[in-house]
Every structure is written in C-alpha cells, then in structure tokens.
Amino acid sequence: MAMAWCLPKYAPTSFCSSLFSSTKKPNSHPFSFSTFSSSSSSSSYSTVLATPTFTWNDILNISQSSTSIQQQHQDPSSYLQGFSHKVQLCNRGSEKQSEFLPFVVEGQVVGFVHNGFADYLKGFSEVFIFPKDKSNGNPFGNCVSLHPMLKTYEERTSAVGYVVEHLGEERIPGIRNELYPVTSSFGAPIFFSLERAAAPYFGIKAYGVHMSGYVELDGQKHLWIAKRSSTKPTYPGMLDHLVAGGLPHGIGCHENVVKECEEEAGIPRSISIKAIPVGAVSYMDIDEYRYKRDVLFCYDLKLPESFVPKNEDGEVDSFKLIPVVQVAEVIRKTQFFKPNCSLVIIDFLFRHGYISPECFGYLDLLRSLRIGDCS
C-alpha cells in the first residue's frame, strides 16, 4: 500500500545557500516560444491540447530572478513548498481509489481498473471475467480477471491486444504499438504484455528510466535539459530530461538507457555505458479512468565539457545546458517541465547536496518522492 503524506508543515528558517551560489548565465539560445502556465486541476496533465510556448530567456529570467533570494529572508517557510507542489501534481486522486477494481492474474494483483472502464471490458466476455465473491479460489472478491482459458503469455497478450485495438483511440488515446510487461512487481514473472497507452487504464505498474546528464564547469554542475518536440503526442513542447523512456518488454534498464542515449541525445555507447544507477522514484496518479503507477529508475551520467547532444529520433526539439541551481528554480516556480521529470530532478538535488537536512521539511519531501508502490 502506498504511503500517505502531507505537504511539509515547516520549511527552512535558513535557505540552502548552495542553491544560489552562482550567478553565471548560460549562453543564450535562439529557439523561442511563448509563455505557458499549466493548471493544476485534475485534468491538467492528462491531455495537453496545445504546445506550451516560452523562450529559453523566459526560463533563465525565472531562474535568476532576485525574488528567490529575497524570499529566503522574507518568507523562508515557503521554499520547499514549490518542490512539494510538483510532487503533488504526480500524485493526485488517492481519495478515488475505491472506484477501482483489482485486476487479478494467477492470484496476483497486477493492476486496477475503474468501474466505468470495466463496463467497456464486459463486452469482451471471452477475454475478461468479473468474479463477485471469494469463491472458486478468488481471495479478492469483486475484481477483474482474465478468462481462465487464456493460459499462456502469447494467448493473453494477443487477446488483450485485440480488446485494446477494438476499443481504439476513442477509449484509449495515443496508441503507440509499444508493449509493456504486466507483472506484480519488478523482476517477477511476466503474465502478458500490454500496449503502453493502455497501461494506466489497466492500472499496471509501468517502469521507465530517466537519466540526468550533467557537466561540471568551473566547479559548478550544469544539467542538459531537453525541450520536447511540438509533435509529441504527450506533453509536447515541455521541458524534459536529457534522456528518458519507458521500459518495454525484453530489455534491461541499463541497456535501455544506452539505447535511449543514442536515439534521444546522440550519446555514443562508449560514453553512455558509464551512466550510473542511483535509485528510483515512484508515484501514483488517478485521473478519471487512468491510474498511473509508475516507477522511474534514475541514472546519472557525467558528460565531457565538449559534448553537445543531438537528437536522432525527432522527439526532441532543442537542448540547453543550464546550471543546476537555476534548473531548481524553474522546477520550484513553474510547470514548464514534464511532471515526472520534476520528481527525478528533485531527487538529483537531494543526492548532490542542493537540498540539505538543515531545510525544514527535508524528510517529508524526500519521502514523498517514493509515494507510489516502489516494487
């Protein structure tokens, strides 16, 4: 069961000085787009209808504004709340968990299906069944399960794929023809594979990799930040990690990092194999029929000063090298970043000493980075 948490009751009486230890500005970038401010309502991140627009100069102005320094003296209690708010945006709707039925395969809970979405599945009686009590070896009572005639990985993958195909874009938008493994926990047996876009509709655990690529210049860490392509079906035009991607069936985490490094940033294998696994963050987000239960494996890669990323798969529009202290302010003050990237960057800030135990609310924020079922 996921751990409940609250917004920190206290915030730092003294600001972590390392967060504003530099005023060095990155080079300007010619790419521009207009100002974007996202709502934090329940549907604000489920579907992005228009490409957010803002300039790199907008980002730098936000990150370098003097109001941050003034705030640490005038209202220090508000400092960590900017980070906590970004965590909350990835963990909405916990009060709606009762609206979902357990999705059970071979006696294991592999996901959760909303009552409303379950109504669509009832039209496929040769694929899904709906036990109502705890008889016949079912310990869960009211739940969703696969038809007992579907016994093998291949049979289940094919049958559920048929359902997803027939529900189509109207019920499951953004179908990508990319399969995610369905399992009770990471490393456990895989029962079948499911279309990536359908994962939140079945509430399965989805795993991904996020890599923070950083450079040290004059003793100061900088992060390479990507701006997503405006043609991306999800979160177009928002800020992203240098490298990130879902973990599909049949590939390990580190090999997936290496693959994504080449595709998304043109990082050769000779460099990307040095990426270091540094932990994981997790979240659970309920939005209408969607129940996202994601675990992101985090990697750090220290890059040569001379390296300049180049996108190879068309999913990234541009890159920018920004001091970590300024990236922290963009996270804290805006919603320019793809939501789950904020969690990974906050984790980076903890691990690299930009947020210290002297900051009140430190443990609350740290704990909140793994609210989801991290298993």
Side-chain angles (χ1 to χ4, degrees):
M1 180 176 293
M3 182 182 298
W5 72 286
C6 299
L7 203 65
K9 295 181 179 178
Y10 307 100
T13 54
S14 62
F15 177 45
C16 302
S17 59
S18 62
L19 279 169
F20 293 99
S21 60
S22 171
T23 58
K24 182 178 179 180
K25 299 182 179 181
N27 295 330
S28 61
H29 196 287
F31 188 82
S32 63
F33 29 124
S34 61
T35 305
F36 168 68
S37 177
S38 173
S39 166
S40 60
S41 67
S42 64
S43 62
S44 60
Y45 284 125
S46 59
T47 304
V48 180
L49 299 179
T51 303
T53 52
F54 46 84
T55 68
W56 285 111
N57 282 337
D58 289 334
I59 295 168
L60 299 183
N61 288 337
I62 289 168
S63 66
Q64 296 171 334
S65 64
S66 60
T67 56
S68 303
I69 299 175
Q70 294 168 358
Q71 184 180 14
Q72 65 169 308
H73 300 295
Q74 296 172 1
D75 186 18
S77 65
S78 68
Y79 179 67
L80 287 186
Q81 291 179 9
F83 296 128
S84 296
H85 179 246
K86 302 311 179 295
V87 177
Q88 286 181 314
L89 291 178
C90 289
N91 292 277
R92 304 164 299 169
S94 60
E95 72 280 2
K96 298 179 181 178
Q97 286 179 309
S98 62
E99 299 176 9
F100 289 76
L101 299 173
F103 180 25
V104 180
V105 180
E106 291 187 10
Q108 300 289 321
V109 176
V110 299
F112 296 91
V113 178
H114 191 274
N115 288 314
F117 191 77
D119 288 340
Y120 302 144
L121 303 183
K122 290 176 181 177
F124 301 89
S125 59
E126 294 183 353
V127 180
F128 295 101
I129 61 173
F130 298 84
K132 296 293 184 181
D133 53 45
K134 295 185 179 182
S135 61
N136 299 320
N138 168 35
F140 302 99
N142 197 13
C143 66
V144 181
S145 189
L146 294 179
H147 196 287
M149 292 299 291
L150 301 172
K151 297 183 181 298
T152 68
Y153 169 91
E154 291 78 13
E155 289 172 345
R156 293 166 176 168
T157 299
S158 177
V160 178
Y162 169 86
V163 173
V164 170
E165 180 182 357
H166 278 73
L167 290 177
E169 288 284 333
E170 181 181 357
R171 305 298 185 198
I172 304 176
I175 292 176
R176 311 181 189 191
N177 297 315
E178 181 179 340
L179 295 178
Y180 270 9
V182 177
T183 179
S184 61
S185 60
F186 189 70
I190 300 172
F191 298 115
F192 66 97
S193 286
L194 175 68
E195 158 63 38
R196 176 177 181 176
Y201 292 90
F202 288 87
I204 71 165
K205 290 180 183 175
Y207 301 89
V209 294
H210 277 234
M211 192 194 79
S212 298
Y214 71 97
V215 177
E216 288 192 5
L217 299 174
D218 300 325
Q220 182 186 23
K221 290 186 176 74
H222 294 60
L223 280 169
W224 277 108
I225 301 300
K227 182 260 178 185
R228 295 164 68 86
S229 169
S230 61
T231 62
K232 287 279 287 182
T234 56
Y235 312 107
M238 297 186 78
L239 301 182
D240 205 337
H241 269 96
L242 176 61
V243 170
L247 187 63
H249 177 58
I251 187 171
C253 290
H254 194 269
E255 189 59 32
N256 198 35
V257 169
V258 171
K259 177 181 73 71
E260 296 287 351
C261 277
E262 177 63 33
E263 293 175 355
E264 295 192 351
I267 304 174
R269 186 181 186 91
S270 59
I271 295 177
S272 61
I273 57 172
K274 299 176 183 177
I276 300 171
V278 290
V281 299
S282 62
Y283 56 95
M284 57 176 195
D285 182 71
I286 294 175
D287 181 15
E288 298 180 337
Y289 290 174
R290 296 173 291 274
Y291 192 164
K292 288 181 64 64
R293 300 194 300 145
D294 291 359
V295 177
L296 306 179
F297 294 100
C298 303
Y299 285 75
D300 283 355
L301 177 62
K302 185 177 180 181
L303 291 160
E305 292 183 19
S306 59
F307 174 78
V308 177
K310 180 182 178 182
N311 182 243
E312 302 290 346
D313 62 7
E315 295 188 359
V316 176
D317 209 56
S318 57
F319 297 95
K320 187 74 172 177
L321 186 63
I322 304 177
V324 173
V325 293
Q326 294 179 19
V327 174
E329 283 306 280
V330 175
I331 294 289
R332 208 167 67 84
K333 295 179 179 179
T334 78
Q335 293 179 37
F336 290 167
F337 272 92
K338 179 173 175 281
N340 62 5
C341 294
S342 295
L343 271 64
V344 179
I345 293 175
I346 293 169
D347 184 67
F348 182 95
L349 298 176
F350 274 105
R351 292 185 292 96
H352 289 261
Y354 293 92
I355 301 176
S356 72
E358 285 70 32
C359 298
F360 289 128
Y362 177 92
L363 291 178
D364 287 323
L365 182 59
L366 181 64
R367 188 166 51 247
S368 73
L369 297 177
R370 293 160 189 87
I371 286 178
D373 184 358
C374 204
S375 66

